[in-house]
Amino acid sequence: MSIKANHCENMTEVRANVDRIDRLLVTLMAERLNYIEQAARIKPSRDAVRDEDRIEDVIAKVKAQCDIDGFDKDMAERMWRAMMEDFIAHEFVKWDGLRK
C-alpha cells in the first residue's frame, strides 16, 4: 500500500498540505522528545543512553513501515539516523542535568 496524498490543483494547495503535515510532524516530534526525556530520567547509567541495539531495532521497524506505506527506505534510514543522533545528544544533556 502507498499513502495517497490529496490531489492539488496549484502550488498554494501543495504548500498548504505540506504545511499541515509539518505541523503534525512537529507535534509528533515533541511527543517523541517527551519520551526521550523520560528515558533520560529512567536509565540507570550514562552508558545506557546510547543503545546501539535499540538504534538498529528502530531502523528495522522504520524500514518495515516504509514497505507498507511505500516510502523510500534509504531516505527514511538517513532521516531517522540523523534524528536519533539529535535525540541521543539531547538525552545525554538531560541525563547529565538530572544527576548534577
Side-chain angles (χ1 to χ4, degrees):
M1 176 179 117
S2 182
I3 298 298
K4 300 295 182 203
N6 295 328
H7 177 77
C8 299
E9 295 291 334
N10 55 56
M11 285 308 298
T12 300
E13 291 176 358
V14 169
R15 289 177 179 145
N17 279 285
V18 169
D19 291 347
R20 174 184 58 79
I21 292 167
D22 286 346
R23 288 189 300 273
L24 293 170
L25 288 170
V26 169
T27 298
L28 291 171
M29 297 295 272
E31 181 180 358
R32 191 181 198 283
L33 183 63
N34 185 277
Y35 289 113
I36 297 304
E37 290 177 349
Q38 290 185 58
R41 174 180 48 82
I42 293 167
K43 289 181 180 176
S45 70
R46 196 172 197 280
D47 289 342
V49 171
R50 180 174 199 83
D51 183 342
E52 294 297 334
D53 290 338
R54 173 65 178 151
I55 291 168
E56 296 310 314
D57 178 56
V58 169
I59 293 297
K61 289 174 183 173
V62 166
K63 285 181 168 184
Q65 190 64 43
C66 287
D67 287 335
I68 294 167
D69 291 335
F71 190 73
D72 183 274
K73 289 190 277 190
D74 293 333
M75 182 187 294
E77 181 172 359
R78 289 189 306 271
M79 293 165 58
W80 253 262
R81 286 191 187 280
M83 176 186 68
M84 286 190 291
E85 287 304 319
D86 282 346
F87 277 108
I88 291 166
H90 181 79
E91 187 177 346
F92 273 119
V93 169
K94 286 294 182 180
W95 195 95
D96 291 341
L98 289 167
R99 287 154 182 86
K100 282 188 176 179

